[in-house]
Amino acid sequence: MKLLAIIQLTFRESLARKTFIAFFGLSTLVNLLFLFALNLDIVDGAESYISLFGKEIDQAFELEKIVYGIESVVAVGLFTGGLFMSLFATSSLIPAFLEKGSIDLLISKPLSRFTILAGRYLGAVAIVAFNVFYLVGFSWLILSFKTGVWNFGFLLAGVMIVLTYAILYALMAFLGVTIRSGPFSLMITYAILFFSPLLLQREAIYALLSGKFWGYLLDFLYHFLPKTTELGNITRMLVQHAEIASWLPALTSLLFGALMFAAASMIFKRKDF
Amino acid sequence: MYVVETDNLTKYYSRGKIKALEDFTLQVEKGKIFSLLGPNGAGKTTLIKVLLGIVFPTRGSAKILGEDISNAGAHSRVGYLAENHRFPEFLTANQVLFYYGKMSGVEPALLKERIPQLLKLVKLENWGDTKIRKFSKGMMQRMGLAQALSNDPDLLFLDEPTDGIDPVGRREIRDLLKNLRDRGKTIFLNSHLLSEVERVSDEVAILKNGRLLQKGTVEEMVSVKQQFTLQLAEGYDLLQALCAELALPLVSQNGSFIVSVRDDAQLNHLIDKLRERQVLIRGIVPRKITLEDFFIEVVEDKEVAAP
Ligand SMILES: Nc1ncnc2c1ncn2[C@@H]1O[C@H](COP(=O)(O)OP(=O)(O)OP(=O)(O)O)[C@@H](O)[C@H]1O
Ligand SMILES: [Mg+2]
């Protein structure tokens, strides 16, 4: 109940930010595009023609492939652009609520400090989940109804995207609590997103390194930090029903998220405001 | 049982460089308006923050409503108006009261009923649907007060409640506080407005550099011991002569005389002498100063007061 109030309040606060309005608008646009631009006419039962964005598509193309393709584009777009926007829009949520005058009030409520932080965190995850599933859910329904291809992998991809956000936001929460600066937390998180593909390809640059130490350091960073590139690949493979070689990157990334949130709440619990 | 109890409460900031509270021991009784006075930086806000778990004490212990301050459980019966409080600006007054009331554990149905009453109490009844970013400073302060009352608390912490509020509003708040006290609530007040504190408080404590300098009722603080204002029908010359004879300090102030005596016996001796000479006495009034005079005296005198 009391926790819910914090989640609701955070949700509202995020909605009050322009970025989420833009996100929402963009999602609506994509949904409308699918709703009106994608035509599927079934002629004589057996033969069907699909016109995509006004252009007719050869029946030889497998319908399933096309649907998977479209859904992959949406999922990957969300995984990159959507995450980028969501992190940006929620970056100041933690530092803002730690400001004098507002955190005092929250602590004076009959809530443990852990609940306060968790409520804030869950509120941010809730707004992102809402936005992601607004796009994923509706476009899934539209595409499925129109084509008859019901791809549940696409919904799972939505879950992966929210999960990835939750992992990265745990890091933002940790940085927010320790450094109390939204832009700084954002920079670090973006840096991790940016360097993730490089860390994955670290073998390729081992030769360039001057000593073994740097190799170990890269190894450590790869294993410790969230593996967003691989999470992105998993997301795409879920949509396309491809074989996922290993869930380990997802598990270790989750572990990183849990660790960050635990550290954030430990620090938050002991802090003077 | 005391509503607020502290035992050698100590709070240092910046690794001991700033001693915001030093061995602070205090009890506040139920159903009282208790005011904490002190110059800027004395530690008043720090004390409230320690009591509410917003900062952690360096040493010592404290209880509010019988529960240790490390336990947030008592907070459902506590209301708090923070110094420079801020609410999310995109909310309307109604929404602020709803969400923050809910966080205090009040049932939504009950809150819906209570919110109009709260707004009426702080004279914001026509502003319920307005976003608070449009509020003036005084209105924000009223909003904070309404929020602090949203869970009908037994113990109310108010840090400078009348800051930015106009004189009429201040009187209304004073009346509101007295009303709450009469309903058995305890009010813990931080304020600089001494004339206000004087009018409303049952008990006052003066804090400086984190130490408790004085504690008592307003009455005790404003009456000056062993000084009396004498009002006579006539015979002031005689009074002056007598005082000179008895070596009693006498000063005239606004047409009446203030005499300082050692004890009650000496006062009565002076009265006997006056009466012996048929001087008509209109009144003998224990001298009072304003709380402000007392405050300044205490704060300036006891520069390095012992605890
Ligand atoms: N978060 C903090 N970190 C370091 N020092 C602090 C902090 N908060 C307060 N202080 C210091 O503690 C002392 C007491 O501050 P406090 O805010 O309790 O004073 P106050 O009596 O409420 O003053 P005012 O009348 O100005 O509100 C001051 O010297 C202040 O500088
Ligand atoms: Mg203060």
Side-chain angles (χ1 to χ4, degrees), chain A residues 116-145:
Chain A
I116 294 171
L117 189 67
R120 196 70 178 165
Y121 174 80
L122 290 177
V125 174
I127 176 86
V128 171
F130 172 81
N131 264 301
V132 166
F133 277 95
Y134 171 69
L135 178 56
V136 169
F138 274 101
S139 56
W140 177 74
L141 272 179
I142 295 167
L143 287 171
S144 302
F145 269 118

Side-chain angles (χ1 to χ4, degrees), chain B residues 56-306:
Chain B
F56 297 100
T58 308
R59 229 179 314 120
S61 64
K63 282 180 178 179
I64 55 173
L65 296 164
E67 291 202 47
D68 194 89
I69 50 169
S70 58
N71 182 354
H75 291 190
S76 55
R77 292 163 60 207
V78 167
Y80 176 40
L81 169 66
E83 172 180 70
N84 306 319
H85 64 273
R86 54 214 281 180
F87 300 118
E89 291 201 315
F90 53 89
L91 295 178
T92 65
N94 282 331
Q95 288 165 345
V96 168
L97 294 177
F98 183 76
Y99 285 117
Y100 284 83
K102 206 167 155 190
M103 275 180 226
S104 288
V106 186
E107 289 300 320
L110 183 60
L111 262 177
K112 288 249 157 71
E113 218 172 274
R114 196 179 281 166
I115 288 170
Q117 300 166 9
L118 286 169
L119 287 175
K120 195 148 178 264
L121 213 55
V122 295
K123 299 277 178 337
L124 287 176
E125 60 266 50
N126 297 323
W127 295 85
D129 291 320
T130 308
K131 288 222 161 66
I132 58 162
R133 77 160 63 93
K134 295 183 183 157
F135 280 15
S136 70
K137 179 166 162 56
M139 287 162 78
M140 276 304 277
Q141 197 66 13
R142 287 163 191 259
M143 200 52 229
L145 192 61
Q147 190 284 132
L149 293 169
S150 63
N151 57 336
D152 192 23
D154 293 328
L155 172 59
L156 201 53
F157 288 101
L158 305 175
D159 205 343
E160 320 270 355
T162 52
D163 186 27
I165 291 189
D166 58 58
V168 177
R170 287 214 288 268
R171 153 163 294 161
E172 284 162 3
I173 289 177
R174 272 202 311 271
D175 292 342
L176 174 64
L177 297 186
K178 284 182 188 161
N179 190 302
L180 289 167
R181 180 222 12 228
D182 295 343
R183 282 168 48 205
K185 317 281 187 195
T186 311
I187 295 154
F188 193 107
L189 201 69
N190 277 0
S191 182
H192 290 296
L193 296 168
L194 296 163
S195 59
E196 226 148 79
V197 168
E198 191 168 350
R199 278 183 217 158
V200 67
S201 314
D202 299 306
E203 260 204 293
V204 175
I206 297 178
L207 187 66
K208 190 187 173 186
N209 295 335
R211 287 174 182 278
L212 183 64
L213 297 188
Q214 286 276 344
K215 183 189 164 200
T217 62
V218 174
E219 193 58 32
E220 283 165 6
M221 294 197 174
V222 298
S223 53
V224 182
K225 279 204 190 87
Q226 318 301 8
Q227 283 194 4
F228 298 87
T229 305
L230 290 179
Q231 287 158 350
L232 309 180
E234 55 184 335
Y236 282 111
D237 298 343
L238 208 57
L239 177 66
Q240 276 174 315
L242 267 173
C243 285
E245 189 183 310
L246 297 168
L248 297 177
L250 183 75
V251 288
S252 89
Q253 200 180 57
N254 312 326
S256 54
F257 282 86
I258 299 163
V259 63
S260 305
V261 291
R262 211 179 326 116
D263 49 22
D264 290 354
Q266 202 176 32
L267 174 68
N268 280 282
H269 182 64
L270 176 67
I271 294 166
D272 289 345
K273 290 272 182 196
L274 284 168
R275 291 298 300 140
E276 262 171 34
R277 296 176 200 191
Q278 312 293 322
V279 173
L280 277 180
I281 298 173
R282 279 217 182 106
I284 303 167
V285 188
R287 200 186 143 220
K288 283 192 180 177
I289 52 173
T290 60
L291 189 58
E292 183 172 292
D293 293 333
F294 182 77
F295 175 78
I296 289 171
E297 196 177 298
V298 168
V299 166
E300 291 192 340
D301 275 11
K302 303 192 178 171
E303 204 60 53
V304 273

Side-chain angles (χ1 to χ4, degrees), chain A residues 100, chain B residues 13-14 18 20 38-47 83 160 192:
Chain A
K100 248 195 182 144
Chain B
Y13 285 114
S14 315
I18 298 171
N40 292 130
K44 304 181 297 294
T45 300
T46 301
L47 176 64
E83 172 180 70
E160 320 270 355
H192 290 296

Side-chain angles (χ1 to χ4, degrees), chain A residues 8 12 99 109 113 272, chain B residues 11 53 56 86 102 147:
Chain A
Q8 282 174 320
R12 272 202 104 100
E99 270 172 32
K109 299 291 173 186
R113 288 198 178 199
D272 281 344
Chain B
K11 174 67 192 176
F56 297 100
R86 54 214 281 180
K102 206 167 155 190
Q147 190 284 132

Side-chain angles (χ1 to χ4, degrees), chain A residues 201-215:
Chain A
Q201 302 296 322
R202 66 197 180 288
E203 266 97 1
I205 54 170
Y206 275 167
L208 303 174
L209 301 172
S210 55
K212 261 210 153 96
F213 168 78
W214 300 105

